[in-house]
Amino acid sequence: MGEKTATFSFAGLTFDWSMIISTLVAMTIVFVLAVWMSRRLQLKPKGKQNVLEWIVDFTNGIVDQQLPNATGRGLKFYAFSLFMFIFVANQLGLAFSVSVGGITYLRSATANPVVTMTLALISIGLAHFLGVQKLGFKNYFKSVYLKPFAVLLPLNLIEQFTSFLTLGLRLFGNIFAGEMVLTLLWQLATSHGIVTMVPAFVLTLAWQAFSLFIGAIQAFVFTTLTMVYVAEKTEVEE
């Protein structure tokens, strides 16, 4: 998007302030929302408790569909946290975009490939870890890399790597593209005064509504694929 971001160095590594701030803001929003919606729980839920229980039931359904076993039960909180973080991070750039002196400090955290690839690495790494834990390394290796034929080992290795890439890049690409379109619409709005401002405003509202939907879909897809990958690594194919 051509945005400038502030960076700093620590221990020989360069860090992006916008990525750190955006990620921390998304995490804080998720934490505050979860605490607020879970306060004063009642036997007959209403209001915010209804929303929380709907989200929990929704993410539990994602897990149960792929992992209706003990492994799945242990991943339900992870699925809830993952879905909530990605959803909030996806929408952050729609509601807030903070720039000071031409330098961006706050945007959608998932519009940064480092964030999305890190999430993908955590999910894929968790799937492989649980596969080894449940099956043992020997059975895990045979099930993941030597099926259906041992000669396909190179292709299976490539498949594992591409799964990691596509999981992270799909999320990044969708959110980054959404923010890019918003930037172009803003440039259109300010290009010729009132002549372009009105249609650009209408288009921006329509695009933000569409982006809200896309952000929710991408959170769902990422969480679902995480559970699919875990199921693949923890179940032995006959």
Side-chain angles (χ1 to χ4, degrees):
M1 293 169 60
E3 295 179 339
K4 294 181 180 180
T5 58
T7 60
F8 69 96
S9 297
F10 178 76
L13 300 175
T14 301
F15 296 89
D16 187 329
W17 272 118
S18 68
M19 178 187 69
I20 295 173
I21 294 173
S22 300
T23 302
L24 288 176
V25 169
M27 292 170 60
T28 302
I29 292 174
V30 170
F31 178 77
V32 170
L33 282 176
V35 171
W36 175 65
M37 289 189 294
S38 61
R39 292 188 64 189
R40 299 177 182 177
L41 298 179
Q42 302 174 357
L43 291 177
K44 293 183 178 180
K46 60 181 180 179
K48 63 182 187 297
Q49 185 179 341
N50 269 327
V51 176
L52 177 62
E53 292 191 6
W54 181 86
I55 297 173
V56 170
D57 288 341
F58 179 72
T59 55
N60 285 351
I62 295 175
V63 177
D64 290 336
Q65 187 174 7
Q66 305 298 332
L67 292 160
N69 50 34
T71 302
R73 289 192 294 272
L75 289 173
K76 287 183 177 180
F77 182 71
Y78 175 69
F80 170 80
S81 302
L82 184 65
F83 177 85
M84 285 290 290
F85 173 78
I86 294 176
F87 177 77
V88 171
N90 288 352
Q91 313 305 337
L92 197 57
L94 296 178
F96 308 101
S97 182
V98 178
S99 297
V100 179
I103 297 177
T104 301
Y105 288 95
L106 181 64
R107 57 186 296 196
S108 294
T110 44
N112 189 309
V114 175
V115 174
T116 61
M117 298 309 291
T118 299
L119 289 172
L121 182 62
I122 292 172
S123 290
I124 296 295
L126 177 65
H128 286 281
F129 171 79
L130 291 174
V132 174
Q133 184 184 60
K134 183 176 181 180
L135 304 178
F137 182 79
K138 182 178 180 180
N139 289 332
Y140 152 81
F141 189 83
K142 289 173 59 179
S143 176
V144 174
Y145 299 104
L146 303 181
K147 293 290 182 72
F149 307 106
V151 71
L152 296 179
L153 173 62
L155 291 179
N156 288 332
L157 287 171
I158 294 173
E159 180 187 6
Q160 300 308 313
F161 182 67
T162 55
S163 295
F164 158 68
L165 285 180
T166 55
L167 186 63
L169 292 178
R170 180 189 298 106
L171 177 59
F172 161 70
N174 278 276
I175 306 308
F176 179 80
E179 290 203 351
M180 180 178 291
V181 172
L182 285 177
T183 299
L184 294 175
L185 288 173
W186 172 252
Q187 292 175 353
L188 173 65
T190 57
S191 60
H192 294 88
I194 193 67
V195 176
T196 55
M197 187 173 295
V198 174
F201 177 75
V202 174
L203 289 173
T204 298
L205 289 180
W207 183 256
Q208 285 186 324
F210 180 69
S211 295
L212 182 67
F213 172 74
I214 291 297
I217 290 296
Q218 288 305 312
F220 167 74
V221 169
F222 195 101
T223 305
T224 300
L225 287 177
T226 295
M227 297 305 122
V228 169
Y229 293 145
V230 172
E232 289 178 349
K233 305 300 181 296
T234 56
E235 296 176 0
V236 178
E237 295 184 5
E238 300 297 337

